[in-house]
Amino acid sequence: MNFTVFEQSDGPGGVWHDNHYPGCEVDVPIFRYSNTFTNYSWTENYASQKELECYCESIIDQFSLSKHLQFNSKVEQIAWDESWAKYQVRLADGRSEYFSVVVSAVGLLSNPKVPDWPGLDEFRGPKFHSARWEHEHDLSGKTVAVVGTGSSGTQVVGTLAPSVGQLLVFQREPGWIWPKKKRSLTPEEPKTLRAIRLCEVVASDEGVLAKPPL
Ligand SMILES: Cc1cc2nc3c(=O)[nH]c(=O)nc-3n(C[C@H](O)[C@H](O)[C@H](O)COP(=O)(O)OP(=O)(O)OC[C@H]3O[C@@H](n4cnc5c(N)ncnc54)[C@H](O)[C@@H]3O)c2cc1C
């Protein structure tokens, strides 16, 4: 099958490539956030952003996908061309190609929403969105404000707090959080859990509802 994946970022991983803020990691147990058909051996029960990126790379290697991937390729327009009976996919850099089938997998969270608060433009210190973290700023000892306490905000706050001078957290609404109980996996756990998940697939095929343990 001939297929091409166009990706506007410069690497694979989607949100796990673009988000690299301090403390960035998955919020659900990793065995609920990974494919059953891969051989990847996770090291922790909640994978870090770095490990999730490695996981994506391993899938690319396992299925020899590199030749199909085009990075720095933003799709700007897709139009049905009646004369060719195909879709014309136009990229931001001017290239265009024809395809019989187009699958949109653009995600919901790949474009960060930057607020337009009055005065933000005049603020002279570093200011950036968690989804585009600027690692060149040394925040140790500085007074830092974090706005928002969703998943990203919560992870950033917990990771920054020990190193900054003062951390101010601005929250519009309180949310529920509880300890993740993050820990390293033993070398046996990935194998055992993979076996359990394979059993689950067989059980589902037979119409038996089987749920793996958390
Ligand atoms: C920081 C963060 C943490 C998260 N944690 C969790 C979690 O713990 N558990 C959970 O279930 N979900 C989590 N999510 C939600 C996450 O979005 C999904 O789990 C999952 O990554 C979505 O995958 P996706 O492939 O649909 O989209 P994405 O990962 O967003 O991938 C879409 C890709 O399409 C590309 N793209 C978009 N428009 C274009 C275009 N015009 N041309 C070319 N390329 C384009 C983007 O650059 C992106 O790489 C998290 C999201 C974020 C941002």
Side-chain angles (χ1 to χ4, degrees):
M1 183 173 38
N2 185 20
F3 69 94
T4 304
V5 178
F6 296 109
E7 168 55 56
Q8 64 186 1
S9 293
D10 60 3
V15 297
W16 299 112
H17 176 76
D18 293 334
N19 286 262
H20 34 74
Y21 56 79
C24 185
E25 62 183 27
V26 76
D27 274 337
V28 291
I30 197 58
F31 295 107
R32 294 235 177 264
Y33 198 78
S34 46
N35 296 306
T36 48
F37 52 82
T38 57
N39 297 322
Y40 193 85
S41 283
W42 297 100
T43 62
E44 294 176 303
N45 59 344
Y46 291 93
S48 66
Q49 174 263 340
K50 273 275 157 253
E51 189 163 16
L52 285 155
E53 265 198 307
C54 292
Y55 173 64
C56 293
E57 300 279 3
S58 81
I59 293 179
I60 292 169
D61 289 346
Q62 191 180 338
F63 296 98
S64 305
L65 297 174
S66 294
K67 56 183 178 293
H68 298 286
L69 307 180
Q70 292 191 21
F71 298 116
N72 299 307
S73 300
K74 180 173 185 175
V75 172
E76 271 206 339
Q77 192 188 45
I78 299 174
W80 177 252
D81 187 322
E82 198 62 53
S83 53
W84 288 81
K86 287 189 180 213
Y87 288 101
Q88 185 183 29
V89 175
R90 282 181 192 274
L91 304 181
D93 61 12
R95 285 179 290 150
S96 87
E97 286 187 47
Y98 285 89
F99 295 91
S100 307
V101 177
V102 174
V103 176
S104 170
V106 295
L108 290 173
L109 302 173
S110 54
N111 292 318
K113 182 172 181 240
V114 179
D116 56 355
W117 299 315
L120 192 61
D121 287 347
E122 283 92 62
F123 182 74
R124 298 235 219 107
K127 52 178 187 288
F128 46 84
H129 195 287
S130 61
R132 300 290 181 269
W133 196 270
E134 296 180 7
H135 293 273
E136 64 270 32
H137 309 296
D138 179 10
L139 304 183
S140 45
K142 298 267 168 44
T143 301
V144 178
V146 174
V147 184
T149 51
S151 301
S152 299
T154 307
Q155 292 173 346
V156 166
V157 166
T159 311
L160 280 189
S163 62
V164 298
Q166 196 183 8
L167 188 62
L168 302 168
V169 181
F170 294 87
Q171 183 183 54
R172 190 166 51 188
E173 289 173 29
W176 289 100
I177 56 168
W178 60 91
K180 265 179 161 175
K181 299 188 179 157
K182 186 173 174 175
R183 63 174 177 83
S184 299
L185 295 173
T186 64
E188 291 73 38
E189 275 181 298
K191 290 183 214 148
T192 312
L193 284 157
R194 203 154 42 231
I196 290 170
R197 293 192 71 171
L198 286 174
C199 290
E200 182 194 21
V201 172
V202 173
S204 316
D205 285 344
E206 290 168 1
V208 178
L209 186 63
K211 284 190 178 172
L214 283 173

